[in-house]
Amino acid sequence: LAKTTQPISMDSYEGQEVNITCSHNNIATNDYITWYQQFPSQGPRFIIQGYKTKVTNEVASLFIPADRKSSTLSLPRVSLSDTAVYYCLVGDGTGTASKLTFGTGTRLQVTL
Amino acid sequence: NAGVTQTPKFRVLKTGQSMTLLCAQDMNHEYMYWYRQDPGMGLRLIHYSVGEGTTAKGEVPDGYNVSRLKKQNFLLGLESAAPSQTSVYFCASRDMYREPYEQYFGPGTRLTVT
């Protein structure tokens, strides 16, 4: 089972780039890496997913090194509304959910 | 298109009582999941289903049962509630084949067992 480790919390000022790293040393060959965002009293929301190298969408980038033992979520120019908990999830795409492992989450606080 | 809905939103139970949480999705997703989230913690998978009529155990299945009689519904049952089951319960669903493999989460059910 791919255990994930993330920093407990991070602080940033508005307008800065934020990088959150997740460690997943036991990632399996078929595993994808997915990041979710969660606001208080809400369910998590999908941000980005990748398998290797770099993935970019309209809200974030995901960097995955060649050994895939870690991944970094990059949020460009954060705003106050990005204050949330960010989770890293490792698992395969087959739906065998017993292999899904959510990280403990990183609480990001953005201030002016 | 409501996405994933959960019923009820809040519930208070006494120890030993039973209840069923309902999750419904209108996206024709094959996969459905039940998670619990304790205060300040991440999500832990309770049970999941890869299709109508199928269920499987996740990381923390003890004390819970599930059923998926219809593709759009996934029920989570607590037969004899315990204070340790006080938590927020989230349901999620996912398409089987479409990438990215994104889980769509419901708004959660806040359960307190006294």
Side-chain angles (χ1 to χ4, degrees):
Chain A
L1 201 62
K3 179 179 171 58
T4 60
T5 303
Q6 303 174 231
I8 293 175
S9 64
M10 296 182 69
D11 295 313
S12 178
Y13 292 109
E14 196 172 43
Q16 290 189 324
E17 178 184 76
V18 171
N19 296 308
I20 306 174
T21 297
C22 180
S23 172
H24 29 78
N25 291 322
N26 296 326
I27 190 169
T29 303
N30 294 332
D31 285 344
Y32 285 78
I33 300 153
T34 312
W35 285 81
Y36 288 85
Q37 176 191 55
Q38 187 179 29
F39 297 111
S41 301
Q42 294 186 22
R45 185 174 67 176
F46 175 89
I47 302 174
I48 196 166
Q49 183 179 81
Y51 182 78
K52 61 180 179 181
T53 64
K54 177 184 174 182
V55 180
T56 298
N57 61 22
E58 61 275 10
V59 299
S61 294
L62 178 59
F63 299 91
I64 305 170
D67 65 7
R68 305 203 322 124
K69 293 186 176 182
S70 66
S71 59
T72 299
L73 173 71
S74 180
L75 304 172
R77 299 183 58 79
V78 294
S79 65
L80 296 176
S81 63
D82 292 317
T83 293
V85 179
Y86 292 83
Y87 291 98
C88 163
L89 173 65
V90 174
D92 64 23
T94 65
T96 307
S98 60
K99 297 180 181 178
L100 289 176
T101 305
F102 268 90
T104 53
T106 298
R107 188 173 301 274
L108 174 65
Q109 179 70 51
V110 181
T111 56
L112 291 173
Chain B
N1 191 339
V4 179
T5 58
Q6 294 183 231
T7 308
K9 290 185 170 54
F10 304 93
R11 186 72 186 269
V12 178
L13 287 179
K14 293 185 177 179
T15 298
Q17 288 184 320
S18 63
M19 77 163 295
T20 300
L21 282 67
L22 170 63
C23 175
Q25 53 95 4
D26 60 2
M27 296 172 282
N28 202 35
H29 286 169
E30 292 80 9
Y31 298 161
M32 296 188 75
Y33 311 87
W34 274 108
Y35 294 91
R36 63 176 289 173
Q37 185 173 36
D38 299 327
M41 305 291 287
L43 284 83
R44 293 186 292 170
L45 183 66
I46 306 171
H47 285 281
Y48 67 99
S49 169
V50 298
E52 182 178 317
T54 72
T55 63
K57 295 180 180 179
E59 180 186 356
V60 289
D62 294 342
Y64 305 95
N65 56 75
V66 288
S67 65
R68 184 115 180 254
L69 300 179
K70 294 182 179 180
K71 186 177 184 179
Q72 64 267 33
N73 296 336
F74 195 27
L75 278 63
L76 178 70
L78 285 73
E79 293 181 343
S80 179
S84 60
Q85 293 179 304
T86 294
S87 189
V88 179
Y89 292 84
F90 289 103
C91 175
S93 70
R94 202 206 89 183
D95 186 87
M96 180 185 287
Y97 298 115
R98 183 184 302 175
E99 294 187 38
Y101 299 125
E102 173 183 353
Q103 292 187 44
Y104 293 81
F105 284 83
T109 294
R110 187 174 298 274
L111 175 65
T112 301
V113 182
T114 62

